[in-house]
Amino acid sequence: MPLHLLHGTLNVTIYEIDRLKYYGGLSVCNKAAGPLQFGKRCLAQLKRVMLCQTEITGSKLYATVDLDKASVAQTRMIEKESYGTKWNENFRIYCGHLISNIMFTVKFDNPIGATVIGRAYIPVEDVIKGAVVDRWDTNWSQGITSPAFEGVPYTFFSQRQGCKVTLYQDAHVQDDFPLLSLTLPSDERRQTHRCWEDIFDAINNAKHFVYTTGWCLYTEITLIRDPRRQKPGVNLTLGELLKKKANEGVTVLILLWDDRTFVEQLKEDGLMATCNQVTADYFKDTKVHCVMCPRNPDDKNSIQGFEIASMFTHHQKTLVVDYELPQERSGKRGIVGFLGGIDLCNGRYDYQDHPIFKTLGTVHLEDFHQPNFAGSSIKKGGPRVPWHDIHCKLEGPIAWDVLYNFEQRWLKQAGTDMILISRSKLNEITIQPSAVTSPKDPETWNVQLFRSIDGAAAAGLPEASEDAAKFGPVNGKTATIDRSIQDAYINAIQRAKNFIYIETQCFLGSSFGWKSKDIKVEDIGALHMIPKELSLKMVSKIEAGERFTVYIVIPIWPQGIPESASVQAILDWQRRTMEMMYSDVTQALRKKGLTANPRDYLTFFCLGNKETKKIGEYVPPQQPDPNSDYARGQHARRFMIYVHSKMMIVDDEYIIIGSANINQRSMDGGRDTEIAMGAFQPHHLSTDRRAKGRIYSFRMTLWQEHLGHLESSFQYPETLECVQAVNSAADELWNMYASDTVGEDLPGHLLRYPIEISNSGGVTTMPNIEFFPDTKARVLGTKSDYLPPILTT
C-alpha cells in the first residue's frame, strides 16, 4: 500500500474486544460503507475490534496502537472475559510517521514478552480522507498569540499565573562577566543571578523545611567559592549546612536515586557513577532524613520490571524551601522552588570562562572531576571537565507544584507521611498559593510544571482511564504514566514561527524515521517525536518559502570514556537522528529547487576550551600514562565543555528548562523520572514586534558566553545573516580548537559539531576528523552488538 505522512495528533479510543472466536480470520466490526465514513469513524474511536484466535484462558489482555513498526500507545492489562473484554481508554498520539496503516493489536501478557492474539488495520489514506479530521491546530506556527494562552493542555499540572522566574546559566556568574547592551531588554538595568549562591541563601534562611530530590548529592562540596562573594557560613560544606538546618528544627528531607544498575560497564565507562551511598551513610543517625530510592516499576516480577529497576534512574533535580516574604506582616512565609539540570554534587561548580587548568590550584583543587579518562586525578593534573548547565528558581503558585511533586514522590518512595509537614501545618506557617506579581507587571510570568514519571514513583496519579485522559497521564501496561515533558516540547515546536534554540546533554530519537539498513527499527524503541517534529517544522517552513532556523548545542561526546561501547553506541544513535533530520531538510530543499546549505536551517554545535599555560598555574606531582587520551589532552591544553543543559527557547517568547534530555530515557515517562517547567512573559510575546523580555536576554547572554561577542544580527536568529554568522564563528573556533598549536586562549567556546552534510542529507565526518581530538573515539559512533538499545537510547 502507498505510504502517507500522518502528522498531527491522533485521538484514539479503544473500547472493547467484541468477542474471541476459535477459528481463523480477522476483521474490524461495523465497518462503514465508504472510505469517508470509515475514516471519520476510525479516527474518532475504534469502537470494536473482532479478534480471532484460539482461546487462551486465565490470561491478562492488553491492546497496543502501532504506526507501522512503532508501538505508540498501550492499554492497561485486564483479565480476559469470555465476552466483551472492555478497556474504554483514550489516547492522544503525536504523529509524524510515513506509514500505510494504523495497526491495533491485542496481546496476552507473559512473564517474558507477550503473545499476539490478533490484529486489525486501518488504512492511513482512509483516515486522512475523513472530512472531520482537523489535522492542524489553530496555533500551528503562530507562536503564543495572546497573553491569555492557557498552556499545554491535558497535563497533570495546570499553568500558573502571577509567578516570578529567575534563569541561571551555570552554577556561578563572576562579577567581571560583561553583560552587553544587546543582551538587555530596553531600559533594563543589569541583573546578575548566581545559582549556587541563591541555593545557599535559600537553604540557610529556611525556617521550617528543606526538601530536595537528586540524581546525585555530594556532601563535601561548598556552594560559594568566589572570594569576592563571601558571607557568613560560606565555608560550610553542603552536608554541614543541611545538618545545621536540621539541628535548628528545620525538616530536611532528601530523596536520592538508589543506583542498582547491574551493568557495571556503564560505571566503568563513566556514564553512571554517583556518591549517593556515601551521602546516605553521612546522614545516618542525624536529623536529616535521606531516603535512597531505586527506580522501581509497578510490576517488579516481569522482565520489563527488571529492566526498569536495573537500567533507569531518578533524575529530577529539585529543591523547595520556605522563605521570608519581605512585606508580610503576619510572619507567614512563602515557598520557593528550584529545578533544572544542575545536581548539587562534585564537578558542577563552574562559570562562564569554563577553565580547564587555571583553577586547579584554587576553586577546583578539592573538586576535580574527570570521568572521561581512566585513572584521572588532581595529582595528575588537568584538563578537568568544565561544566555548562542551566537551572531556574520559581516563585509564586508554581512553587507549590514543585512542592506537590516532592510530596507525591515522598509518599510513594519513603512510604510514610509522618515526617512530611502536614497540609494543616503548612496552612499555619505559609501564605497559600497566591500571585507574587500583578497581571500588569511587565516582569510577571506564566509557568507550567511538566514531568516524566509513573505511578511507581509518585503517589496520586489518576488511575481511572477517564481521569487519566482528562489530566494527561496515560495508562500503560502496568502503570499510569505522565509524559508531559514530551508533550510540552512538541506543543512548543508546533507553535514556533521563527526559530528554536536547544541546549541538551543528549539528542536522539524518532527512531521510526531512521533509514538505516543495519538495524531493525522496531528493536530500538526511541520513539519520542521531538527530532521528527523539528525536521517537519523546517520542512513546512521551506515549503511555505519562510525562514526558520534550528540551533542545537550538544556535548562533543556523552560523558564517559569516549572509545567505550556505551558512549560509541549513543553517538551512533545520535548520528542516525541527525541523518533523518537532514534527509528531511535536503529533500524539502530539492523539491523547492533550492541549492541552500542545510546548515542554514539546521545546525549542530558543541562547546570546548583551550588554554595557554599561565604563570603560577597548578603543577601536578604526577603525570598521566604516556600515549593516553589523558596525556594527549593535557599536552594539547584542550577539552570539551560538557553540555549538561536541558533547555529549549522558542522565538524568544517561551522557554523550557528541566532535568530531561532529548532521548527516550527522559521522554518516555516509564524510564528515568524527570521534571521541567515551561514559561513565558505575557508582556513579552513575539506578536506585532519581537519578544525582548527575560527569555531574549537569557538567550543573548548564553550566546555571549559561547561566542565571546555579540552581533546585531543575533537579535533575529531565523535570518540567513544570523545563522551564517554563527556558523562561520563556530567553524573558525573549531579550527582553532582542533589545531595542534596552542598560541592563544580560545576567544569563544561555540564549536561546529565535526560533521559534514551531503546533498542527500547523509552525515559524514569532516575531512581528516574521523576521531575526536586527542582520542581514538569515532565521531559518528559505532553500533554496539551487545548493549541493549533500551539502555543507550
Side-chain angles (χ1 to χ4, degrees), residues 165-215:
V165 177
T166 303
L167 305 173
Y168 301 110
Q169 61 188 107
D170 305 315
H172 183 60
V173 177
Q174 290 191 311
D175 288 338
D176 56 5
F177 177 65
L179 288 180
L180 305 181
S181 59
L182 279 176
T183 69
L184 301 176
S186 57
D187 302 323
E188 180 58 54
R189 63 184 177 84
R190 170 183 173 139
Q191 288 190 349
T192 301
H193 303 292
R194 299 174 176 88
C195 182
W196 276 16
E197 184 172 333
D198 286 357
I199 286 176
F200 172 88
D201 289 340
I203 296 173
N204 198 40
N205 294 328
K207 299 297 183 184
H208 299 289
F209 65 89
V210 174
Y211 297 164
T212 186
T213 68
W215 177 81

Short mmCIF file of all heavy atoms in Angstrom, two decimals, residues 165-215:
data_model
loop_
_atom_site.label_atom_id
_atom_site.label_comp_id
_atom_site.label_asym_id
_atom_site.label_seq_id
_atom_site.Cartn_x
_atom_site.Cartn_y
_atom_site.Cartn_z
N VAL A 165 10.18 34.12 37.80
CA VAL A 165 11.17 33.13 37.36
C VAL A 165 12.54 33.78 37.30
O VAL A 165 12.69 34.89 36.76
CB VAL A 165 10.81 32.54 35.98
CG1 VAL A 165 11.89 31.57 35.50
CG2 VAL A 165 9.46 31.84 36.02
N THR A 166 13.53 33.10 37.87
CA THR A 166 14.93 33.52 37.75
C THR A 166 15.67 32.46 36.95
O THR A 166 15.59 31.27 37.27
CB THR A 166 15.58 33.67 39.13
OG1 THR A 166 14.82 34.61 39.91
CG2 THR A 166 17.01 34.17 39.00
N LEU A 167 16.37 32.89 35.89
CA LEU A 167 17.07 31.98 34.99
C LEU A 167 18.56 32.01 35.30
O LEU A 167 19.16 33.09 35.43
CB LEU A 167 16.82 32.38 33.54
CG LEU A 167 15.35 32.47 33.12
CD1 LEU A 167 15.23 33.04 31.71
CD2 LEU A 167 14.67 31.12 33.21
N TYR A 168 19.17 30.82 35.39
CA TYR A 168 20.59 30.72 35.72
C TYR A 168 21.36 30.03 34.60
O TYR A 168 20.97 28.96 34.14
CB TYR A 168 20.78 29.88 37.00
CG TYR A 168 20.11 30.40 38.23
CD1 TYR A 168 19.01 29.72 38.77
CD2 TYR A 168 20.56 31.54 38.89
CE1 TYR A 168 18.39 30.17 39.93
CE2 TYR A 168 19.93 32.00 40.05
CZ TYR A 168 18.86 31.30 40.57
OH TYR A 168 18.25 31.75 41.71
N GLN A 169 22.49 30.64 34.22
CA GLN A 169 23.44 29.95 33.34
C GLN A 169 24.64 29.56 34.20
O GLN A 169 25.30 30.41 34.79
CB GLN A 169 23.85 30.83 32.16
CG GLN A 169 24.54 32.13 32.52
CD GLN A 169 24.74 33.03 31.33
OE1 GLN A 169 24.06 34.04 31.19
NE2 GLN A 169 25.67 32.68 30.47
N ASP A 170 24.88 28.28 34.30
CA ASP A 170 25.99 27.72 35.08
C ASP A 170 25.73 27.91 36.59
O ASP A 170 24.80 28.60 37.01
CB ASP A 170 27.33 28.33 34.67
CG ASP A 170 27.58 28.18 33.18
OD1 ASP A 170 27.35 27.08 32.66
OD2 ASP A 170 27.99 29.17 32.53
N ALA A 171 26.57 27.27 37.39
CA ALA A 171 26.39 27.33 38.84
C ALA A 171 26.73 28.70 39.40
O ALA A 171 26.22 29.09 40.45
CB ALA A 171 27.25 26.25 39.52
N HIS A 172 27.59 29.45 38.71
CA HIS A 172 28.06 30.73 39.23
C HIS A 172 28.28 31.71 38.08
O HIS A 172 28.56 31.32 36.94
CB HIS A 172 29.37 30.54 40.00
CG HIS A 172 29.90 31.79 40.64
ND1 HIS A 172 29.19 32.51 41.58
CD2 HIS A 172 31.07 32.47 40.46
CE1 HIS A 172 29.90 33.56 41.95
NE2 HIS A 172 31.03 33.57 41.29
N VAL A 173 28.15 32.98 38.37
CA VAL A 173 28.49 34.07 37.44
C VAL A 173 29.44 35.00 38.16
O VAL A 173 29.13 35.49 39.26
CB VAL A 173 27.25 34.85 36.97
CG1 VAL A 173 27.66 36.01 36.06
CG2 VAL A 173 26.27 33.93 36.25
N GLN A 174 30.60 35.24 37.57
CA GLN A 174 31.57 36.14 38.19
C GLN A 174 31.19 37.59 37.95
O GLN A 174 30.51 37.93 36.98
CB GLN A 174 32.97 35.85 37.66
CG GLN A 174 33.54 34.52 38.13
CD GLN A 174 35.02 34.40 37.81
OE1 GLN A 174 35.45 34.65 36.69
NE2 GLN A 174 35.81 34.02 38.80
N ASP A 175 31.68 38.45 38.84
CA ASP A 175 31.36 39.87 38.72
C ASP A 175 31.87 40.48 37.42
O ASP A 175 31.28 41.45 36.92
CB ASP A 175 31.97 40.65 39.90
CG ASP A 175 31.25 40.37 41.21
OD1 ASP A 175 30.08 39.95 41.15
OD2 ASP A 175 31.86 40.55 42.28
N ASP A 176 32.96 39.94 36.87
CA ASP A 176 33.55 40.55 35.69
C ASP A 176 33.00 39.98 34.38
O ASP A 176 33.52 40.29 33.30
CB ASP A 176 35.08 40.42 35.71
CG ASP A 176 35.54 38.98 35.86
OD1 ASP A 176 34.69 38.06 35.85
OD2 ASP A 176 36.77 38.76 35.99
N PHE A 177 31.95 39.13 34.45
CA PHE A 177 31.34 38.67 33.20
C PHE A 177 30.52 39.82 32.63
O PHE A 177 29.56 40.28 33.24
CB PHE A 177 30.44 37.46 33.44
CG PHE A 177 29.73 36.99 32.19
CD1 PHE A 177 30.44 36.49 31.11
CD2 PHE A 177 28.35 37.04 32.09
CE1 PHE A 177 29.80 36.06 29.97
CE2 PHE A 177 27.69 36.61 30.96
CZ PHE A 177 28.42 36.12 29.89
N PRO A 178 30.87 40.32 31.45
CA PRO A 178 30.22 41.52 30.93
C PRO A 178 28.84 41.19 30.37
O PRO A 178 28.64 40.20 29.66
CB PRO A 178 31.16 41.98 29.82
CG PRO A 178 31.81 40.72 29.33
CD PRO A 178 31.94 39.83 30.54
N LEU A 179 27.85 42.05 30.69
CA LEU A 179 26.54 41.96 30.06
C LEU A 179 26.43 43.12 29.09
O LEU A 179 26.31 44.28 29.49
CB LEU A 179 25.44 42.02 31.11
CG LEU A 179 25.29 40.77 32.00
CD1 LEU A 179 24.15 40.96 32.99
CD2 LEU A 179 25.02 39.55 31.14
N LEU A 180 26.50 42.83 27.79
CA LEU A 180 26.47 43.87 26.78
C LEU A 180 25.05 44.38 26.59
O LEU A 180 24.07 43.72 26.92
CB LEU A 180 27.04 43.32 25.47
CG LEU A 180 28.45 42.71 25.57
CD1 LEU A 180 28.91 42.21 24.22
CD2 LEU A 180 29.44 43.73 26.13
N SER A 181 24.93 45.56 26.01
CA SER A 181 23.62 46.20 25.89
C SER A 181 22.65 45.37 25.06
O SER A 181 21.44 45.40 25.30
CB SER A 181 23.78 47.59 25.26
OG SER A 181 24.40 47.48 23.97
N LEU A 182 23.16 44.61 24.10
CA LEU A 182 22.27 43.80 23.27
C LEU A 182 21.58 42.70 24.06
O LEU A 182 20.55 42.18 23.64
CB LEU A 182 23.06 43.16 22.11
CG LEU A 182 23.35 44.03 20.90
CD1 LEU A 182 24.22 43.28 19.91
CD2 LEU A 182 22.06 44.48 20.23
N THR A 183 22.14 42.32 25.20
CA THR A 183 21.54 41.24 25.97
C THR A 183 20.40 41.72 26.86
O THR A 183 19.69 40.91 27.44
CB THR A 183 22.58 40.56 26.88
OG1 THR A 183 22.98 41.47 27.92
CG2 THR A 183 23.79 40.13 26.09
N LEU A 184 20.24 43.03 26.99
CA LEU A 184 19.30 43.55 27.97
C LEU A 184 18.04 44.04 27.29
O LEU A 184 18.09 44.67 26.23
CB LEU A 184 19.93 44.70 28.75
CG LEU A 184 21.22 44.37 29.51
CD1 LEU A 184 21.78 45.63 30.15
CD2 LEU A 184 20.97 43.30 30.56
N PRO A 185 16.88 43.80 27.90
CA PRO A 185 15.66 44.45 27.41
C PRO A 185 15.80 45.97 27.50
O PRO A 185 16.62 46.49 28.25
CB PRO A 185 14.57 43.95 28.38
CG PRO A 185 15.15 42.71 29.00
CD PRO A 185 16.63 42.94 29.05
N SER A 186 15.02 46.68 26.73
CA SER A 186 15.13 48.14 26.72
C SER A 186 14.87 48.71 28.11
O SER A 186 14.00 48.24 28.85
CB SER A 186 14.10 48.73 25.73
OG SER A 186 12.80 48.31 26.06
N ASP A 187 15.63 49.74 28.46
CA ASP A 187 15.51 50.42 29.76
C ASP A 187 15.69 49.47 30.93
O ASP A 187 15.09 49.64 31.99
CB ASP A 187 14.14 51.13 29.87
CG ASP A 187 13.93 52.14 28.77
OD1 ASP A 187 14.91 52.81 28.39
OD2 ASP A 187 12.79 52.23 28.28
N GLU A 188 16.52 48.46 30.76
CA GLU A 188 16.69 47.46 31.80
C GLU A 188 18.08 47.59 32.41
O GLU A 188 19.07 47.73 31.70
CB GLU A 188 16.51 46.05 31.21
CG GLU A 188 16.69 44.94 32.22
CD GLU A 188 15.72 45.07 33.38
OE1 GLU A 188 14.51 45.15 33.14
OE2 GLU A 188 16.20 45.11 34.53
N ARG A 189 18.13 47.51 33.73
CA ARG A 189 19.42 47.55 34.40
C ARG A 189 20.01 46.14 34.46
O ARG A 189 19.30 45.14 34.35
CB ARG A 189 19.26 48.11 35.81
CG ARG A 189 18.39 47.27 36.73
CD ARG A 189 18.22 47.94 38.08
NE ARG A 189 17.33 47.20 38.95
CZ ARG A 189 17.70 46.17 39.71
NH1 ARG A 189 18.97 45.75 39.69
NH2 ARG A 189 16.83 45.54 40.48
N ARG A 190 21.28 46.08 34.65
CA ARG A 190 21.97 44.80 34.74
C ARG A 190 21.52 44.02 35.98
O ARG A 190 21.43 44.57 37.07
CB ARG A 190 23.48 45.03 34.79
CG ARG A 190 24.28 43.77 35.12
CD ARG A 190 25.77 44.10 35.22
NE ARG A 190 26.50 42.94 35.71
CZ ARG A 190 27.67 42.54 35.23
NH1 ARG A 190 28.21 43.21 34.25
NH2 ARG A 190 28.29 41.50 35.72
N GLN A 191 21.23 42.76 35.80
CA GLN A 191 20.91 41.88 36.91
C GLN A 191 21.73 40.61 36.76
O GLN A 191 21.72 39.98 35.71
CB GLN A 191 19.41 41.51 36.93
CG GLN A 191 18.52 42.66 37.35
CD GLN A 191 17.09 42.20 37.58
OE1 GLN A 191 16.72 41.09 37.25
NE2 GLN A 191 16.28 43.06 38.17
N THR A 192 22.45 40.25 37.80
CA THR A 192 23.26 39.03 37.78
C THR A 192 22.69 38.06 38.80
O THR A 192 22.54 38.41 39.98
CB THR A 192 24.73 39.35 38.12
OG1 THR A 192 25.23 40.29 37.17
CG2 THR A 192 25.57 38.08 38.06
N HIS A 193 22.37 36.86 38.36
CA HIS A 193 21.81 35.84 39.24
C HIS A 193 22.80 34.68 39.32
O HIS A 193 23.29 34.19 38.29
CB HIS A 193 20.47 35.36 38.70
CG HIS A 193 19.46 36.46 38.52
ND1 HIS A 193 18.91 37.14 39.58
CD2 HIS A 193 18.93 37.00 37.39
CE1 HIS A 193 18.06 38.04 39.12
NE2 HIS A 193 18.06 37.99 37.80
N ARG A 194 23.08 34.25 40.54
CA ARG A 194 24.07 33.19 40.78
C ARG A 194 23.37 32.00 41.42
O ARG A 194 22.88 32.08 42.55
CB ARG A 194 25.19 33.72 41.66
CG ARG A 194 25.94 34.90 41.04
CD ARG A 194 26.94 35.52 42.00
NE ARG A 194 27.70 36.57 41.33
CZ ARG A 194 27.31 37.85 41.27
NH1 ARG A 194 26.15 38.22 41.84
NH2 ARG A 194 28.04 38.74 40.64
N CYS A 195 23.34 30.89 40.70
CA CYS A 195 22.52 29.76 41.10
C CYS A 195 22.90 29.21 42.46
O CYS A 195 22.06 29.15 43.38
CB CYS A 195 22.62 28.66 40.03
SG CYS A 195 21.61 27.22 40.38
N TRP A 196 24.14 28.77 42.62
CA TRP A 196 24.51 28.11 43.87
C TRP A 196 24.51 29.08 45.05
O TRP A 196 24.25 28.69 46.18
CB TRP A 196 25.85 27.39 43.72
CG TRP A 196 25.67 26.02 43.12
CD1 TRP A 196 24.56 25.56 42.47
CD2 TRP A 196 26.59 24.94 43.14
NE1 TRP A 196 24.76 24.25 42.07
CE2 TRP A 196 25.99 23.85 42.47
CE3 TRP A 196 27.88 24.78 43.64
CZ2 TRP A 196 26.63 22.62 42.29
CZ3 TRP A 196 28.53 23.56 43.47
CH2 TRP A 196 27.90 22.49 42.81
N GLU A 197 24.79 30.34 44.80
CA GLU A 197 24.71 31.32 45.88
C GLU A 197 23.26 31.49 46.33
O GLU A 197 22.98 31.55 47.53
CB GLU A 197 25.28 32.66 45.43
CG GLU A 197 25.33 33.70 46.53
CD GLU A 197 26.08 34.96 46.12
OE1 GLU A 197 26.97 34.87 45.25
OE2 GLU A 197 25.77 36.03 46.69
N ASP A 198 22.33 31.54 45.38
CA ASP A 198 20.92 31.66 45.74
C ASP A 198 20.42 30.39 46.44
O ASP A 198 19.59 30.47 47.35
CB ASP A 198 20.08 31.92 44.49
CG ASP A 198 20.23 33.35 43.98
OD1 ASP A 198 20.95 34.14 44.63
OD2 ASP A 198 19.65 33.68 42.93
N ILE A 199 20.92 29.23 46.03
CA ILE A 199 20.54 27.99 46.70
C ILE A 199 21.08 27.96 48.13
O ILE A 199 20.38 27.56 49.07
CB ILE A 199 21.03 26.77 45.89
CG1 ILE A 199 20.15 26.60 44.65
CG2 ILE A 199 21.03 25.49 46.74
CD1 ILE A 199 20.58 25.49 43.72
N PHE A 200 22.32 28.43 48.32
CA PHE A 200 22.89 28.53 49.67
C PHE A 200 22.00 29.42 50.55
O PHE A 200 21.65 29.06 51.68
CB PHE A 200 24.30 29.09 49.61
CG PHE A 200 24.89 29.41 50.96
CD1 PHE A 200 25.56 28.44 51.69
CD2 PHE A 200 24.76 30.68 51.51
CE1 PHE A 200 26.08 28.73 52.95
CE2 PHE A 200 25.28 30.99 52.76
CZ PHE A 200 25.94 30.00 53.48
N ASP A 201 21.64 30.59 50.02
CA ASP A 201 20.81 31.52 50.79
C ASP A 201 19.45 30.90 51.11
O ASP A 201 18.93 31.06 52.23
CB ASP A 201 20.62 32.82 50.02
CG ASP A 201 21.90 33.66 49.94
OD1 ASP A 201 22.79 33.44 50.77
OD2 ASP A 201 21.98 34.52 49.04
N ALA A 202 18.86 30.19 50.14
CA ALA A 202 17.54 29.60 50.35
C ALA A 202 17.59 28.56 51.46
O ALA A 202 16.71 28.53 52.34
CB ALA A 202 17.04 28.98 49.05
N ILE A 203 18.59 27.70 51.44
CA ILE A 203 18.71 26.68 52.49
C ILE A 203 19.03 27.33 53.83
O ILE A 203 18.42 27.02 54.87
CB ILE A 203 19.80 25.65 52.11
CG1 ILE A 203 19.41 24.87 50.85
CG2 ILE A 203 20.06 24.68 53.27
CD1 ILE A 203 20.50 23.97 50.32
N ASN A 204 19.97 28.26 53.82
CA ASN A 204 20.44 28.87 55.06
C ASN A 204 19.34 29.68 55.76
O ASN A 204 19.32 29.78 56.99
CB ASN A 204 21.65 29.76 54.76
CG ASN A 204 22.44 30.10 56.01
OD1 ASN A 204 22.65 29.24 56.87
ND2 ASN A 204 22.89 31.33 56.11
N ASN A 205 18.42 30.23 54.96
CA ASN A 205 17.37 31.08 55.54
C ASN A 205 16.06 30.34 55.78
O ASN A 205 15.10 30.95 56.26
CB ASN A 205 17.12 32.28 54.62
CG ASN A 205 18.32 33.21 54.53
OD1 ASN A 205 19.07 33.34 55.51
ND2 ASN A 205 18.54 33.82 53.38
N ALA A 206 16.00 29.05 55.45
CA ALA A 206 14.78 28.28 55.68
C ALA A 206 14.51 28.17 57.18
O ALA A 206 15.42 27.99 57.98
CB ALA A 206 14.91 26.90 55.05
N LYS A 207 13.24 28.24 57.56
CA LYS A 207 12.85 28.14 58.96
C LYS A 207 12.05 26.87 59.27
O LYS A 207 11.99 26.43 60.42
CB LYS A 207 12.00 29.36 59.36
CG LYS A 207 12.72 30.69 59.23
CD LYS A 207 13.92 30.77 60.17
CE LYS A 207 14.59 32.14 60.08
NZ LYS A 207 15.81 32.21 60.92
N HIS A 208 11.43 26.29 58.25
CA HIS A 208 10.53 25.16 58.50
C HIS A 208 10.89 23.89 57.73
O HIS A 208 10.82 22.81 58.29
CB HIS A 208 9.09 25.57 58.19
CG HIS A 208 8.59 26.70 59.03
ND1 HIS A 208 8.31 26.56 60.37
CD2 HIS A 208 8.36 28.01 58.71
CE1 HIS A 208 7.90 27.73 60.86
NE2 HIS A 208 7.93 28.62 59.87
N PHE A 209 11.25 24.01 56.45
CA PHE A 209 11.53 22.79 55.69
C PHE A 209 12.49 23.05 54.54
O PHE A 209 12.54 24.15 53.97
CB PHE A 209 10.24 22.15 55.17
CG PHE A 209 9.49 22.97 54.16
CD1 PHE A 209 9.75 22.85 52.80
CD2 PHE A 209 8.50 23.85 54.58
CE1 PHE A 209 9.05 23.60 51.87
CE2 PHE A 209 7.79 24.60 53.66
CZ PHE A 209 8.06 24.48 52.30
N VAL A 210 13.27 22.01 54.24
CA VAL A 210 14.14 21.95 53.08
C VAL A 210 13.91 20.57 52.46
O VAL A 210 14.25 19.55 53.06
CB VAL A 210 15.63 22.13 53.44
CG1 VAL A 210 16.50 21.91 52.21
CG2 VAL A 210 15.88 23.49 54.04
N TYR A 211 13.31 20.52 51.28
CA TYR A 211 13.05 19.26 50.58
C TYR A 211 13.85 19.26 49.28
O TYR A 211 13.80 20.22 48.51
CB TYR A 211 11.57 19.12 50.22
CG TYR A 211 10.59 19.05 51.37
CD1 TYR A 211 9.22 19.25 51.13
CD2 TYR A 211 10.99 18.78 52.67
CE1 TYR A 211 8.29 19.19 52.16
CE2 TYR A 211 10.07 18.71 53.71
CZ TYR A 211 8.72 18.93 53.45
OH TYR A 211 7.80 18.86 54.47
N THR A 212 14.56 18.17 49.01
CA THR A 212 15.33 18.12 47.78
C THR A 212 15.30 16.72 47.17
O THR A 212 15.25 15.72 47.88
CB THR A 212 16.79 18.57 48.00
OG1 THR A 212 17.49 18.62 46.75
CG2 THR A 212 17.54 17.62 48.94
N THR A 213 15.29 16.68 45.84
CA THR A 213 15.44 15.43 45.10
C THR A 213 16.67 15.54 44.22
O THR A 213 17.02 16.63 43.75
CB THR A 213 14.22 15.14 44.19
OG1 THR A 213 14.19 16.12 43.14
CG2 THR A 213 12.93 15.19 44.98
N GLY A 214 17.34 14.41 43.97
CA GLY A 214 18.54 14.48 43.15
C GLY A 214 18.93 13.15 42.54
O GLY A 214 18.62 12.09 43.08
N TRP A 215 19.58 13.22 41.40
CA TRP A 215 20.26 12.07 40.82
C TRP A 215 21.51 11.79 41.64
O TRP A 215 21.89 10.65 41.85
CB TRP A 215 20.61 12.36 39.36
CG TRP A 215 21.37 11.27 38.67
CD1 TRP A 215 20.86 10.13 38.13
CD2 TRP A 215 22.79 11.22 38.43
NE1 TRP A 215 21.86 9.37 37.57
CE2 TRP A 215 23.07 10.02 37.74
CE3 TRP A 215 23.85 12.08 38.74
CZ2 TRP A 215 24.36 9.66 37.35
CZ3 TRP A 215 25.13 11.72 38.35
CH2 TRP A 215 25.37 10.52 37.66
#
